[in-house]
Amino acid sequence: MRNVDPSMAVANVTWLPLPSANDTVEGPIDFTNIVCWDHLGNIVMSGDGFPVGLTIVTCRANDTVPNEGACDFNITIIDSEAPFVYCPADIPLIYVDQGMANASVTWIPLPTANDTVDGPINATSIVCSDDLGNVVKSDDRFQVRLTMVTCRVNDSASLEGMCQFNITVEDNEPPTVSCPDHIVDLSDLGMPGALIPWIPLPTASDNLDVINRASIVCTDDSGTVVMSGNLFGVGLTTVTCQVNDTALNEGSCNFTIAISDNESPNVTCPMNVSTVVDSGSSAATILWVPTPSAVDNIDTIDPASIICVDNYGSIVMSGDQYPANLTTVTCQVNDTQQNEGSCSFTIAVSDNESPNVTCPMNVSAVVDSGSAVATILWEPTPSAVDNIDTIDPASIICVDNSGSIVMSGGQYPANLTTVTCQVNDTQQNEGSCSFTIAVSDNESPNVTCPMNVSAVVDSGSAVATILWEPTPSAVDNIDTIDPASIICVDNSGSIVTSGGQYPANLTTVTCQVNDTQQNEGSCSFTIAVSDNESPNVTCPMNVSAVVDSGSSVATILWVPTPSAVDNIDTIDPASIICVDNSGSIVTSGGQYPATLTTVTCQVNDTQQNEGSCSFTIAVSDNESPNVTCPMNVSAVVDSGSSVATILWVPTPSAVDNIDTIDPASIICVDNSGSIVTSGGQYPANLTTVTCQVNDTQQNEGSCSFTIAVSDNESPNVTCPMNVSAVVDSGSAVATILWEPTPSAVDNIDTIDPTSIICVDNSGSIVTSGGQYPANLTTVTCQVNDTQQNEGSCSFTITVSDNESPNVTCPMNVSAVVDSGSSVATILWELTPSAVDNIDTIDPASIICVDNSGSIVTSGGQYPAILTTVTCQVNDTQQNEGSCSFTIAVSDNESPNVTCPMNVSAVVDSGSSVATILWELTPSAVDNIDTIDPASIICVDNSGSIVMSGGQYPATLTTVTCQVNDTQQNEGSCSFTIAVSAQWWILDQQLPLSFGYQPHRPLITLIPSTLQVSFVWTTLGVS
């Protein structure tokens, strides 16, 4: 029975001794003639590899007859190698899922297993469990802690392989803290703040922990701890409540407490004051007693901050001057919260001085026009000034000699009047003054004239006979005026009367008379006589003519010259103005357009009476228009057409001596008489175009130009579609068929496709079905028509290389970590290499990466896991080839465990044991794993688990502390705990004294005859 060879699925078995044969006749038979078969019929030999299980080997030999002899033996191979299980790497930190007490953890990659005999093991047969024995799998939920996951699987020989990895789940969610609502309140009466209870009290909830409300700490803006029911000062206090869960995640909330002060200060005013104005003044100077003051429930009020105002809101102070009336003074002050306090007192000042009245100046005046009295305005208006009051001038009363009230603007008789003005102030103190008004009479009579007269001259006369309406009259404020005494004169001073003759102009008549005081009155009126007869005008005869040669007008002489006769004025013929239909002035010898012109001649006499006459001038047009053609045109046919679209430059136009010719009215025709236009299509030959037009008098004008069209159109060549292909298998080129075949169409010729020549980038002729290299080839196809116009097109052939390099990796590697290290230095037996169908691959360009994607090399350090190394390289076309091999590094080093120092102690007082605290907690350091001190197990001599703080008997105890790393390599250390019993024994009948007395316990022995036997050792007493 043999085990399989290490890391192999078979065992190489050497037979000892080798099979031998002996024949009774022929003697020993050469061993080379002995052939051995297994039970499956395969020839086997010593040193061959045999599979797991029972193999029956039969060896046969023939003698020369040939008689056959045989023997058999069994070879049993058993599988002694457990599977290799590969776990994911440790998951060092996963946070709990949002709002959860655990985390869903995905393992990448999933655990795999491989057996040297069975080969890859189905991953579904791998069972993983946590350190509590619960079966776990990827995407399960893991609690907040370090969980060690062990994955196990059995091969077909029931050998178990395992691997381990750690999952660390931490809680990073802070508690959710709920604060009370924001609080707004007033300060308590007479206090600098308010006692504020919080409703509700702060609470907190956590995804893991149950938060005790008592652990929530609330602080104000200054960091001082505050609680519900505390005194909070006036103002806004922000309270922040915070709490930590067991993972020290801090949650917090805040709320505000706004306390306002609504108590006003208590203000004390001076006493009320009564007095009179200062001598010669309108006011009294007042000192207040006492000074205003204020007391507030919170603030200390500075008396200087108290503001006092009078009835009008003006600021007043002690020692100010106060007017002669009752002034109420209000003193007010605000505390820091703007609560206003106030008080009031009165200051009564009275007045005892009379007003000083000022009268107008004495007045001298004459009676009002047409009146026996004079309306007198006083200058200035009576006024009064009082030491206190403002005297309204309207309150001053003025009376004349008779005691009647008079005023400015009143009527006063023609004599001397004395006016006295007087007024009282508000305290009934009276003041007065006087002035005189002297009125005299200077009024002239008021004369009334006839109305102004407008008339025309008498018929056939230069004057007009005028009757006045009404007759002149006069009225005097004193005298009765006789109308016959009124004298009227004209502009020259001559006396005129009603019914006289007046010339054709404006005559001003002035009528005047004196009253008995020789005051003269007068009036005037006008007599306007105008001339309304027009002059008689004579015109030339009507005229008919044609335009001047080369002109649009005709020069016309009038016969006879216009003239005019007036009943009064002599008319100068030069003053006669003649105008045409448009109102423009025209004269004999002027130029007239080719139309019928009506000439009106008119003249005014000196009175602007207008006379006029008319005559006609008929001018006709007999000249043809002058037509301008475009320039002769040379052009080629339109692209793809046998004709050319021709735009004429410039557009045909025409100029007429009279008419404005619309270019659109010009008609152009070709050789055949067909109408043609700019932008029309013209055949490839010479076309003569004639353009003609008539003016409004049907006079015709024309011109001609030529259009020469030639053909320069190249053939239109159609190429195959662009081609994208990959190289032929195992080749650097691709065989390309074009689709479709190149073709060409010409506007004139029929193009034979075989005449089309196609060339590549280098100018070499290429054809469909040719071989093209792995790059971009531009193919240009071209052909000429019979006029040697060349047409061409291009298409591309893109050939790419899509074959990846073939990469060869080193063999798989199995090793253990370097001594004292968590990694192994690995030399690859074979350098990675690659072969490409096109490129020569430099081995230095091959990049090898591990599971994490990090670049690794031969001679590098590899961790104690299964590392899959993938080596990859790209050819110049970026086709990637790769291969993989594994480096399995296992950890065979035990943890280094550190024990506490040896302990020496005595039993506890009154006890047979000692409670021992280890000065140093056992710890362990591993080359790979982080050892949790809690996983170190310490046992005593009997194998019982012991710990620091345990009770140890009065003897020498050896404590061994041991721990396994994740690969089950065990490390350990030991220390001793020596516990001794020392007694101090006192007995009156049996005094005993021992020199070793560290604690001096007192033992009273009963009965007094007790005998004690001591056996001393180096560690204690028994």
Side-chain angles (χ1 to χ4, degrees):
M1 182 178 294
R2 282 281 306 277
N3 292 329
V4 292
D5 292 342
S7 300
M8 296 187 65
V10 298
N12 293 313
V13 180
T14 301
W15 307 340
L16 292 176
L18 292 174
S20 61
N22 190 67
D23 188 65
T24 56
V25 175
E26 298 175 5
I29 296 176
D30 189 341
F31 80 91
T32 60
N33 292 325
I34 302 172
V35 179
C36 299
W37 286 268
D38 63 18
H39 59 279
L40 299 177
N42 302 306
I43 294 176
V44 294
M45 293 185 291
S46 176
D48 280 354
F50 289 84
V52 172
L54 174 66
T55 300
I56 300 173
V57 179
T58 301
C59 297
R60 296 181 176 90
N62 290 342
D63 59 15
T64 56
V65 173
N67 296 308
E68 181 181 272
C71 69
D72 54 54
F73 62 97
N74 295 335
I75 298 175
T76 302
I77 305 299
I78 62 172
D79 177 14
S80 62
E81 290 204 9
F84 288 98
V85 186
Y86 304 105
C87 280
D90 285 352
I91 300 173
L93 181 59
I94 293 288
Y95 289 121
V96 293
D97 295 339
Q98 183 71 32
M100 302 283 290
N102 48 41
S104 174
V105 181
T106 301
W107 307 343
I108 299 175
L110 291 173
T112 60
N114 192 69
D115 190 65
T116 53
V117 174
D118 299 331
I121 296 177
N122 191 333
T124 58
S125 63
I126 301 172
V127 177
C128 298
S129 59
D130 61 18
D131 40 20
L132 300 178
N134 302 307
V135 174
V136 293
K137 59 183 182 299
S138 179
D139 296 326
D140 276 359
R141 308 197 73 82
F142 289 81
Q143 300 302 314
V144 175
R145 65 185 183 89
L146 173 67
T147 299
M148 178 182 292
V149 177
T150 303
C151 296
R152 298 179 173 87
V153 69
N154 289 351
D155 61 11
S156 58
S158 296
L159 297 169
E160 180 181 84
M162 61 171 282
C163 66
Q164 292 179 321
F165 65 101
N166 293 328
I167 297 173
T168 302
V169 177
E170 290 187 6
D171 173 22
N172 68 335
E173 287 200 20
T176 299
V177 187
S178 298
C179 278
D181 291 335
H182 298 296
I183 299 171
V184 177
D185 206 345
L186 299 174
S187 60
D188 294 341
L189 186 63
M191 294 183 66
L195 299 172
I196 301 298
W198 305 343
I199 299 174
L201 290 173
T203 60
S205 61
D206 188 63
N207 60 326
L208 283 174
D209 303 319
V210 175
I211 305 294
N212 187 339
R213 177 182 290 169
S215 64
I216 302 172
V217 176
C218 299
T219 58
D220 61 16
D221 308 77
S222 66
T224 302
V225 175
V226 293
M227 293 185 291
S228 176
N230 281 174
L231 177 68
F232 290 85
V234 172
L236 182 68
T237 300
T238 299
V239 178
T240 300
C241 297
Q242 51 199 28
V243 70
N244 289 356
D245 60 16
T246 55
L248 299 181
N249 298 307
E250 181 181 282
S252 67
C253 67
N254 57 55
F255 65 100
T256 58
I257 299 175
I259 306 298
S260 58
D261 172 22
N262 69 339
E263 288 195 26
S264 299
N266 184 18
V267 186
T268 301
C269 276
M271 295 180 293
N272 294 335
V273 179
S274 292
T275 189
V276 296
V277 293
D278 297 341
S279 178
S281 174
S282 60
T285 303
I286 304 297
L287 293 172
W288 305 344
V289 177
T291 301
S293 60
V295 176
D296 188 62
N297 62 324
I298 294 177
D299 303 317
T300 298
I301 305 295
D302 182 359
S305 66
I306 302 173
I307 305 298
C308 297
V309 296
D310 60 15
N311 311 56
Y312 304 104
S314 300
I315 295 175
V316 294
M317 294 184 289
S318 178
D320 282 354
Q321 290 186 323
Y322 293 83
N325 56 24
L326 181 64
T327 299
T328 299
V329 177
T330 300
C331 296
Q332 52 200 24
V333 72
N334 288 357
D335 60 15
T336 55
Q337 299 301 313
Q338 301 307 310
N339 297 309
E340 182 180 282
S342 66
C343 66
S344 296
F345 67 101
T346 59
I347 298 173
V349 178
S350 59
D351 171 31
N352 63 348
E353 292 199 10
S354 297
N356 182 19
V357 185
T358 301
C359 277
M361 294 181 293
N362 293 333
V363 179
S364 292
V366 296
V367 292
D368 297 339
S369 178
S371 174
V373 295
T375 302
I376 302 299
L377 293 171
W378 305 345
E379 292 292 339
T381 301
S383 61
V385 176
D386 188 63
N387 63 326
I388 294 177
D389 300 320
T390 299
I391 305 295
D392 183 0
S395 66
I396 302 173
I397 305 299
C398 298
V399 297
D400 62 13
N401 311 60
S402 65
S404 299
I405 294 175
V406 293
M407 63 188 70
S408 178
Q411 291 181 325
Y412 295 84
N415 56 24
L416 182 65
T417 300
T418 299
V419 178
T420 300
C421 297
Q422 52 197 24
V423 70
N424 289 355
D425 63 12
T426 54
Q427 300 301 316
Q428 301 306 310
N429 298 309
E430 182 181 284
S432 66
C433 66
S434 296
F435 67 102
T436 60
I437 298 173
V439 177
S440 61
D441 178 18
N442 67 341
E443 182 73 14
S444 297
N446 184 17
V447 184
T448 301
C449 280
M451 293 182 294
N452 293 334
V453 179
S454 292
V456 296
V457 293
D458 297 340
S459 179
S461 174
V463 296
T465 302
I466 304 298
L467 291 173
W468 303 347
E469 290 291 338
T471 301
S473 62
V475 175
D476 186 63
N477 63 330
I478 297 174
D479 301 321
T480 299
I481 305 297
D482 181 2
S485 64
I486 300 172
I487 305 299
C488 296
V489 296
D490 62 15
N491 308 58
S492 64
S494 300
I495 294 174
V496 294
T497 59
S498 177
Q501 290 183 325
Y502 295 84
N505 56 24
L506 182 65
T507 300
T508 299
V509 178
T510 300
C511 299
Q512 51 199 24
V513 70
N514 289 351
D515 63 9
T516 56
Q517 300 300 315
Q518 298 306 305
N519 294 312
E520 181 181 278
S522 66
C523 68
S524 296
F525 68 101
T526 59
I527 298 172
V529 177
S530 60
D531 173 20
N532 66 343
E533 291 195 12
S534 299
N536 184 17
V537 186
T538 301
C539 277
M541 295 180 291
N542 293 334
V543 180
S544 292
V546 295
V547 292
D548 299 341
S549 177
S551 174
S552 62
V553 296
T555 303
I556 304 296
L557 294 171
W558 304 343
V559 177
T561 301
S563 60
V565 176
D566 187 63
N567 63 330
I568 296 176
D569 301 318
T570 299
I571 304 297
D572 182 359
S575 65
I576 301 172
I577 304 299
C578 298
V579 296
D580 60 15
N581 311 56
S582 66
S584 299
I585 296 175
V586 294
T587 59
S588 178
Q591 292 181 324
Y592 293 84
T595 184
L596 180 65
T597 300
T598 299
V599 179
T600 300
C601 296
Q602 52 200 20
V603 70
N604 288 355
D605 61 13
T606 55
Q607 298 304 313
Q608 301 305 311
N609 295 308
E610 182 182 279
S612 66
C613 66
S614 297
F615 68 101
T616 59
I617 299 173
V619 177
S620 59
D621 173 26
N622 64 346
E623 293 205 7
S624 298
N626 182 19
V627 185
T628 301
C629 277
M631 295 182 292
N632 292 335
V633 180
S634 293
V636 295
V637 292
D638 297 341
S639 178
S641 174
S642 61
V643 298
T645 303
I646 303 297
L647 293 171
W648 305 343
V649 178
T651 302
S653 60
V655 176
D656 188 62
N657 62 326
I658 294 176
D659 301 320
T660 299
I661 305 297
D662 182 359
S665 66
I666 302 173
I667 305 298
C668 298
V669 296
D670 61 13
N671 312 58
S672 66
S674 299
I675 295 175
V676 292
T677 59
S678 178
Q681 293 182 322
Y682 295 84
N685 56 25
L686 182 67
T687 300
T688 299
V689 178
T690 301
C691 297
Q692 52 200 25
V693 71
N694 289 356
D695 64 12
T696 55
Q697 300 302 315
Q698 299 307 308
N699 298 311
E700 182 181 282
S702 66
C703 67
S704 295
F705 67 101
T706 60
I707 299 173
V709 178
S710 60
D711 176 21
N712 69 338
E713 181 75 14
S714 297
N716 183 19
V717 186
T718 301
C719 277
M721 295 181 291
N722 293 335
V723 179
S724 292
V726 296
V727 292
D728 299 340
S729 179
S731 174
V733 297
T735 303
I736 304 297
L737 292 173
W738 304 346
E739 290 292 336
T741 301
S743 61
V745 176
D746 189 62
N747 62 330
I748 297 174
D749 302 320
T750 300
I751 305 295
D752 182 358
T754 61
S755 66
I756 302 172
I757 305 299
C758 298
V759 297
D760 61 15
N761 310 58
S762 66
S764 301
I765 295 175
V766 292
T767 59
S768 178
Q771 290 183 323
Y772 295 84
N775 57 24
L776 177 68
T777 300
T778 300
V779 178
T780 302
C781 298
Q782 52 200 26
V783 70
N784 289 358
D785 62 10
T786 56
Q787 300 301 313
Q788 298 308 306
N789 296 312
E790 181 181 279
S792 66
C793 66
S794 296
F795 67 102
T796 60
I797 298 173
T798 304
V799 177
S800 58
D801 172 23
N802 68 339
E803 292 199 12
S804 300
N806 184 18
V807 186
T808 301
C809 275
M811 292 181 294
N812 293 338
V813 179
S814 293
V816 295
V817 293
D818 297 342
S819 178
S821 174
S822 62
V823 297
T825 303
I826 303 295
L827 291 172
W828 304 345
E829 292 185 6
L830 178 71
T831 300
S833 61
V835 176
D836 188 62
N837 62 326
I838 294 176
D839 302 318
T840 299
I841 305 296
D842 181 1
S845 65
I846 302 173
I847 304 298
C848 298
V849 297
D850 61 14
N851 311 58
S852 67
S854 300
I855 295 176
V856 294
T857 58
S858 178
Q861 292 182 322
Y862 294 83
I865 57 174
L866 179 67
T867 299
T868 299
V869 177
T870 300
C871 297
Q872 50 199 26
V873 71
N874 288 0
D875 61 16
T876 54
Q877 299 301 314
Q878 301 307 310
N879 297 309
E880 182 181 282
S882 66
C883 67
S884 296
F885 67 101
T886 60
I887 298 174
V889 177
S890 58
D891 174 24
N892 67 343
E893 293 211 4
S894 299
N896 183 19
V897 185
T898 300
C899 278
M901 293 182 293
N902 293 334
V903 179
S904 294
V906 295
V907 294
D908 298 340
S909 176
S911 174
S912 62
V913 296
T915 303
I916 304 298
L917 292 173
W918 304 346
E919 293 185 6
L920 178 71
T921 301
S923 61
V925 176
D926 189 62
N927 61 325
I928 294 177
D929 301 318
T930 299
I931 305 296
D932 183 359
S935 65
I936 302 173
I937 305 298
C938 297
V939 297
D940 60 12
N941 312 56
S942 66
S944 300
I945 294 175
V946 293
M947 63 189 72
S948 178
Q951 292 182 323
Y952 295 82
T955 184
L956 179 66
T957 300
T958 299
V959 178
T960 300
C961 296
Q962 53 198 27
V963 70
N964 288 359
D965 62 13
T966 55
Q967 299 302 315
Q968 302 306 309
N969 297 309
E970 181 182 283
S972 65
C973 68
S974 297
F975 68 101
T976 59
I977 299 174
V979 177
S980 59
Q982 290 106 5
W983 299 335
W984 183 252
I985 303 174
L986 297 178
D987 187 88
Q988 294 177 353
Q989 297 182 22
L990 183 60
L992 299 177
S993 177
F994 300 90
Y996 182 53
Q997 311 166 18
H999 298 290
R1000 299 177 60 83
L1002 177 63
I1003 299 177
T1004 301
L1005 300 180
I1006 300 176
S1008 61
T1009 58
L1010 176 66
Q1011 296 181 351
V1012 180
S1013 174
F1014 291 91
V1015 177
W1016 292 92
T1017 70
T1018 58
L1019 295 175
V1021 176
S1022 63

